[in-house]
Amino acid sequence: MNTFSHGGDLKSLAADARRSERDILDFSVNLRPEGMPEFIASALWRAMDDAVPYPSPDMKELRETAAARYDLPSGCFAFGNGANELIHALPRALGLKQAVIPEPAFSEYRLTCLRHGTKVLSPQIEERDSFTPSPCVLGEKAADGSAIFLANPCNPSGGLLHVQALRQAVQDRPGVIWILDESFMDYAEETESLLRDAAVLPNLVVLRSLTKFYGMAGVRCGFSVCAAPLAERLRQSLPAWNVNAFAAAAARAVLKQPSSWADGERALNRERREDLFRRLSALPGAAVLPSEANFLLFRLPGAPSGLASRLLKNHGIALRDCSNYPGLETGGWFRAGVRTPEEHARLEEALQTELKGNGPAILRRPPKPALMIQGTCSDAGKSVLTAALCRIFLQDGHRVAPFKAQNMALNSGVTALGEEMGRAQMVQARACRIDPDARMNPILLKPHSNTGSQVIVMGRAVGHMEAGEYFTAKRRFWPDVRRAYDSLADEYDVLCLEGAGSPGEINLKSVDVVNMNMARYARARVLLTGDIDRGGVYASFLGTWMTFSPWEKELLAGFVVNKFRGDPGLLAPAHRYMLDHTGKPVLGVIPMIRNINIPEEDRAALPFEQDGHAKHADSLDVAVVMPAHVSNFTDFAPLAAEPDVRLRQVRTREEWGSPDLVILPGTKSVAADLALLRAAGLEEPIRRHAGKGKWILGVCGGLQMLGTDILDPLHMESMEERTPGLGLLELSTTFAAAKTLLNVRQATTPLPPAAAGYEIHHGVTLHGETSAPIMFREDGSPCGYGKGRIWATYLHGFLDGDQFRRAFINMVREDSGLPPNPALHTSYDLDGALDRLADVVREHLDLKTIYRLLQLKR
């Protein structure tokens, strides 16, 4: 056995487990679970400018920064390539002949002494003392001219030395050099450091590591504090330029960081340590030692032989087997680093499985293959690309389901079970040829103002929240998200996830439930897509990548350029640049796709006046009055696909023109948007249009606007309890607390073909004698009202039906003096559109690599 082996060798652990490094849950090393904090990563990026010139040979500038931080003379500091370099330099600097190392202890103390030829005295510390040595006893064993190696908190136990006793022992034995390793001191809350003592006492050296607390083991930096003459000897024993520019930059960032950050990390580690302590203590016969560090030493007397190896091979979990520590060779001693509660639960279950002798049973079923589409921004094409991949996986013989943890969209729909969910996930479910299910979109936010949204969880409204309130509250919905995902993963072979906005939003990362945190939970590979049509796509890729923590970069599989016009061969230099600078390939260049008619997700981006359509000369002019908080605008996408319809948006009086049909679409803020409509001067042309006997169609919120008044006694949408409507229909709407969620499969209308759709509204509408019901649900209850050529309905999606849509268009055309087109049979064929979309994406995406990453067969 290698007496001086350490934990954290991921490559060796992965090889032994026959798994990839990303699939190893490593408790064998004591590092910050989240990895390097952002302020250090930023400092490393800035340090690129310092990579060419030589760094300071003795780190004078860094010593001055440390002196300012600790209010100590700069001459008392020495910096090394990690605290371990200083440990190995001390015997040389001191000319050390003899050392006392109480065991068990960090193995590098013994190793440096053996390499230097220093004689080692190793008193054994007992379990009854929690492996925490007595400084006074050690002082009695050490001869003058020798050194005593100690750690506080102790390693491997995590216990604390008695500081007053240590201080007294150092003073009582001036002929002994006391080397105090405080590498884990940043975690301790119930003790004090001896840094200030070390600056004045000639026989005390204190070591500090920046590796553990700050998650930068690969950068390597540590420092020592001791009396200036001794510090000078130590610096002289170190090679010049031993601390590189990157390590120096990271150290400066640490030393300049406000103490509040460390306070928060310390408190978080304490909570997590207590959780791990509780779980380990629940194991049969376990004895767990108290610790002030970020690890726990524990004994499992009945542990089967090779327990750590079995954990690694059967469960992909690395645990530190402490049998190579002198004094811990027998008794079943192990050490576990503090990680997250979810990871602690995995460790506990794995240990329970092995201790019960259940053989090589896998603790956690292998995760279902999962691919997540994230974007550099909103409207990068995530929803459509996710739908395409859903259809591709389905075509290739896989049972696939979509998933988006949190969606902010006004475009929603209703499932067969009466659950409300994002329209994009309903389309993606259609791509999978499965029924939409609220589990596919467990959190839906429907904005009703610039700062507030209605919150819908698992298909049901749970209230309204302002942005700040939801920011602090949304982590409490995280269990709902996990349950929804796990349930889908139990039923399907592949999960195709969609992110939201951008994973690079720094201000949202701490409470993220939809981007990288969701990808980590699902263990999904991530494709980052960007809209090249906007410009700056490669800068967006690189900028987003720069905000990623190491674990986020590990999840990223590659980049996808979306909405490209031109020759993709011209992009090759940019793709080489991305691979060289990030190590991640560009896995596809998706062309600008037109006229496929896939519903958009969450923005008013209907294909108004599409330049790809050949429109008839006598097209019906349809003006959609666009409210600020428009919802379910895709109700009118089928009209845009018709060759004899010209669909355009109107937001100002100047855009009004001479429409044949005016549409008032749905809105999440009826009163506010009606006020904006009036402020834009649009009420008068709407009334004039109605006065000419021309067609007006109102849908949902548009229905309510057309009425006489809108009552909101519960202030569901507005602080106004009554808002006068446009008065074109004799309808009065009152907002109720309960939301109506209905699927209407067959609605009767004044036209021969039946209509179908769904309803989502808080409004309860009563009609007067002059505005009779004209649309009826299956049970005979009204869902639409009308008077002459003014129709209003609560039914979303009623224009999707080809026969009804054509009948409606021809009716309006005839009334507008245009000839009907009965021979036109435009098919709003979503299923066919999804197949065409999949064909395009299949041609331009590196599916071979994606299938290999997901370990799927094609």
Side-chain angles (χ1 to χ4, degrees):
M1 178 185 295
N2 179 6
T3 307
F4 302 105
S5 64
H6 298 286
D9 185 351
L10 266 182
K11 292 190 182 299
S12 297
L13 292 171
D16 291 345
R18 296 184 179 179
R19 299 171 185 244
S20 66
E21 292 180 33
R22 69 188 294 267
D23 289 330
I24 301 298
L25 178 53
D26 192 4
F27 282 91
S28 72
V29 70
N30 315 311
L31 294 173
R32 184 174 185 260
E34 292 81 7
M36 184 185 299
E38 181 62 31
F39 69 87
I40 295 179
S42 300
L44 293 179
W45 276 104
R46 293 193 299 271
M48 287 291 294
D49 295 337
D50 298 326
V52 174
Y54 282 100
S56 168
D58 64 353
M59 286 291 112
K60 179 180 179 182
E61 298 88 347
L62 194 54
R63 288 190 285 116
E64 290 173 350
T65 302
R69 170 64 182 266
Y70 294 105
D71 193 23
L72 295 172
S74 63
C76 296
F77 289 88
F79 276 83
N81 181 27
N84 197 44
E85 183 182 40
L86 300 170
I87 290 171
H88 282 261
L90 278 165
R92 182 170 60 252
L94 297 170
L96 198 59
K97 303 300 182 183
Q98 181 174 321
V100 177
I101 304 175
E103 299 285 4
F106 182 44
S107 60
E108 293 294 318
Y109 306 153
R110 174 178 291 271
L111 179 60
T112 184
C113 290
L114 293 178
R115 286 177 173 174
H116 188 70
T118 301
K119 181 180 177 181
V120 176
L121 178 65
S122 301
Q124 295 295 308
I125 310 303
E126 301 297 328
E127 179 184 354
R128 64 173 179 267
D129 297 320
S130 298
F131 301 113
T132 303
S134 164
C136 297
V137 172
L138 293 177
E140 294 171 358
K141 296 180 180 295
D144 283 348
S146 64
I148 298 175
F149 284 84
L150 286 172
N152 191 34
C154 299
N155 183 359
S157 71
L160 294 177
L161 298 175
H162 191 290
V163 174
Q164 293 304 325
L166 175 59
R167 183 177 282 119
Q168 189 62 51
V170 172
Q171 294 173 355
D172 289 347
R173 293 300 313 274
V176 173
I177 298 293
W178 297 75
I179 300 172
L180 181 61
D181 186 351
E182 291 187 348
S183 289
F184 295 96
M185 179 59 71
D186 284 317
Y187 290 105
E189 296 179 292
E190 302 298 330
T191 189
E192 62 175 306
S193 168
L194 291 191
L195 277 179
R196 303 195 70 79
D197 300 77
V200 295
L201 294 174
N203 62 327
L204 175 61
V205 180
V206 172
L207 301 170
R208 282 291 186 92
S209 168
L210 306 181
T211 294
K212 290 82 174 172
F213 193 75
Y214 296 97
M216 46 181 271
V219 176
R220 311 300 305 147
C221 193
F223 65 88
S224 65
V225 174
C226 55
L230 182 53
E232 178 62 24
R233 288 165 56 191
L234 180 55
R235 290 194 294 272
Q236 292 298 323
S237 70
L238 294 168
W241 313 300
N242 65 316
V243 178
N244 65 62
F246 296 98
R252 279 193 298 272
V254 167
L255 293 169
K256 293 180 179 180
Q257 188 69 8
S259 59
S260 57
W261 186 89
D263 292 341
E265 285 291 299
R266 212 163 9 253
L268 179 60
N269 179 73
R270 181 183 67 250
E271 294 174 10
R272 291 173 169 177
R273 185 177 63 225
E274 290 170 354
D275 176 77
L276 181 59
F277 187 95
R278 183 171 58 254
R279 292 182 181 278
L280 294 177
S281 298
L283 298 172
V288 187
L289 299 188
S291 169
E292 279 287 314
N294 64 333
F295 55 81
L296 291 173
L297 181 67
F298 62 102
R299 177 164 52 85
L300 296 173
S305 176
L307 174 61
S309 178
R310 292 165 64 88
L311 276 177
L312 183 62
K313 292 178 180 177
N314 294 342
H315 308 278
I317 297 178
L319 189 66
R320 183 74 157 88
D321 182 343
C322 293
S323 59
N324 67 333
Y325 279 90
L328 301 181
E329 297 91 344
T330 61
W333 287 99
F334 301 92
R335 192 180 68 188
V338 172
R339 296 190 64 86
T340 67
E342 292 83 4
E343 292 167 328
H344 298 163
R346 285 185 59 192
L347 174 63
E348 179 190 7
E349 289 188 57
L351 285 169
Q352 292 281 12
T353 298
E354 295 298 337
L355 292 174
K356 289 175 181 176
N358 291 341
I362 302 299
L363 159 68
R364 189 182 186 191
R365 287 168 296 177
K368 289 293 179 69
L371 181 67
M372 188 177 212
I373 309 303
Q374 298 185 10
T376 57
C377 60
S378 294
D379 196 37
K382 298 184 290 291
S383 297
V384 173
L385 189 54
T386 302
L389 285 160
C390 283
R391 179 53 60 96
I392 287 170
F393 289 137
L394 177 75
Q395 291 171 339
D396 291 349
H398 301 286
R399 296 173 63 253
V400 58
F403 183 85
K404 184 168 184 175
Q406 173 194 287
N407 199 347
M408 176 175 280
L410 287 168
N411 213 20
S412 62
V414 181
T415 71
L417 297 177
E419 305 161 329
E420 188 174 2
M421 62 182 287
R423 184 76 168 159
Q425 281 62 63
M426 299 188 84
V427 172
Q428 291 160 7
R430 179 76 174 269
C432 302
R433 293 202 174 108
I434 57 178
D435 291 333
D437 185 324
R439 292 177 298 170
M440 300 168 185
N441 177 207
I443 303 176
L444 174 63
L445 305 177
K446 300 188 73 173
H448 54 71
S449 69
N450 289 336
T451 61
S453 297
Q454 184 182 46
V455 181
I456 296 163
V457 178
M458 293 306 295
R460 304 295 176 190
V462 298
H464 293 76
M465 293 186 184
E466 290 298 305
E469 180 185 4
Y470 180 71
F471 184 84
T472 58
K474 68 178 174 177
R475 289 298 294 186
R476 87 167 175 258
F477 301 126
W478 178 236
D480 298 288
V481 171
R482 294 202 313 262
R483 282 192 295 269
Y485 181 84
D486 290 343
S487 178
L488 287 172
D490 285 341
E491 297 178 22
Y492 295 93
D493 302 327
V494 184
L495 278 299
C496 204
L497 293 80
E498 181 187 342
S502 165
E505 301 290 351
I506 305 301
N507 54 308
L508 300 179
K509 284 196 174 210
S510 63
V511 290
D512 169 45
V513 297
V514 66
N515 286 313
M516 279 301 188
N517 278 337
M518 185 64 232
R520 175 161 60 176
Y521 181 79
R523 289 194 266 182
R525 302 314 301 266
V526 174
L527 297 180
L528 182 65
T529 186
D531 179 359
I532 196 171
D533 199 48
R534 294 184 176 188
V537 70
Y538 296 104
S540 297
F541 283 153
L542 191 60
T544 303
W545 181 81
M546 286 177 63
T547 71
F548 285 171
S549 301
W551 65 267
E552 293 174 306
K553 292 176 181 175
E554 179 65 26
L555 292 174
L556 181 65
F559 306 98
V560 177
V561 176
N562 201 12
K563 307 181 186 181
F564 179 65
R565 315 168 196 246
D567 179 2
L570 299 176
L571 304 178
H575 295 179
R576 286 194 298 271
Y577 184 95
M578 293 304 301
L579 182 61
D580 290 344
H581 285 75
T582 70
K584 305 294 182 179
V586 175
L587 292 174
V589 178
I590 310 300
M592 179 70 75
I593 305 173
R594 294 189 176 279
N595 306 332
I596 285 188
N597 295 326
I598 303 295
E600 296 278 353
E601 182 202 24
D602 61 354
R603 67 183 187 103
L606 283 176
F608 294 103
E609 302 183 76
Q610 293 188 63
D611 53 11
H613 270 313
K615 293 295 186 180
H616 288 201
D618 59 353
S619 291
L620 191 72
D621 185 10
V622 179
V624 182
V625 179
M626 297 295 288
H629 303 95
V630 64
S631 66
N632 291 69
F633 49 86
T634 49
D635 286 342
F636 315 110
L639 289 177
E642 295 286 353
D644 61 344
V645 173
R646 175 175 175 253
L647 193 71
R648 59 189 179 86
Q649 53 189 323
V650 171
R651 289 188 170 87
T652 67
R653 191 183 182 108
E654 291 71 27
E655 295 171 334
W656 184 262
S658 181
D660 301 306
L661 168 64
V662 171
I663 296 177
L664 299 181
T667 166
K668 192 64 184 65
S669 298
V670 179
D673 281 342
L674 184 53
L676 290 173
L677 179 151
R678 286 174 165 137
L682 291 173
E683 181 173 13
E684 189 275 331
I686 292 173
R687 289 184 179 279
R688 180 162 28 91
H689 185 84
K692 293 178 180 179
K694 302 182 79 170
W695 271 97
I696 296 178
L697 173 64
V699 179
C700 199
L703 174 152
Q704 295 160 0
M705 288 184 181
L706 289 171
T708 55
D709 53 12
I710 301 157
L711 306 177
D712 194 359
L714 302 178
H715 303 292
M716 299 298 295
E717 289 190 7
S718 167
M719 295 307 294
E720 300 295 330
E721 293 193 3
R722 181 185 180 276
T723 300
L726 297 172
L728 298 179
L729 291 176
E730 193 178 352
L731 303 176
S732 177
T733 299
T734 301
F735 287 130
K739 178 180 281 191
T740 298
L741 299 171
L742 290 175
N743 261 316
V744 181
R745 299 187 181 279
Q746 190 166 3
T748 57
T749 78
L751 295 172
Y758 56 93
E759 297 182 42
I760 306 174
H761 54 91
H762 280 281
V764 177
T765 297
L766 301 177
H767 68 91
E769 293 182 2
T770 63
S771 298
I774 59 170
M775 301 179 75
F776 300 89
R777 307 179 185 101
E778 297 96 325
D779 63 2
S781 58
C783 59
Y785 308 88
K787 181 177 67 173
R789 292 175 180 171
I790 302 176
W791 283 16
T793 180
Y794 272 121
L795 209 58
H796 293 289
F798 72 102
L799 292 171
D800 289 3
D802 295 339
Q803 290 184 334
F804 178 86
R805 182 176 67 256
R806 175 44 52 189
F808 179 77
I809 291 171
N810 282 337
M811 177 181 65
V812 178
R813 285 182 64 86
E814 284 191 272
D815 290 344
S816 303
L818 298 171
N821 289 312
L824 275 181
H825 293 286
T826 303
S827 176
Y828 188 64
D829 178 12
L830 181 57
D831 204 62
L834 288 165
D835 279 337
R836 295 193 297 276
L837 173 67
D839 290 344
V840 174
V841 172
R842 186 186 289 275
E843 181 183 352
H844 294 90
L845 196 62
D846 185 355
L847 288 173
K848 181 178 180 180
T849 296
I850 290 171
Y851 270 78
R852 177 177 54 78
L853 291 169
L854 298 180
Q855 299 181 345
L856 280 176
K857 294 181 179 179
R858 296 184 66 181

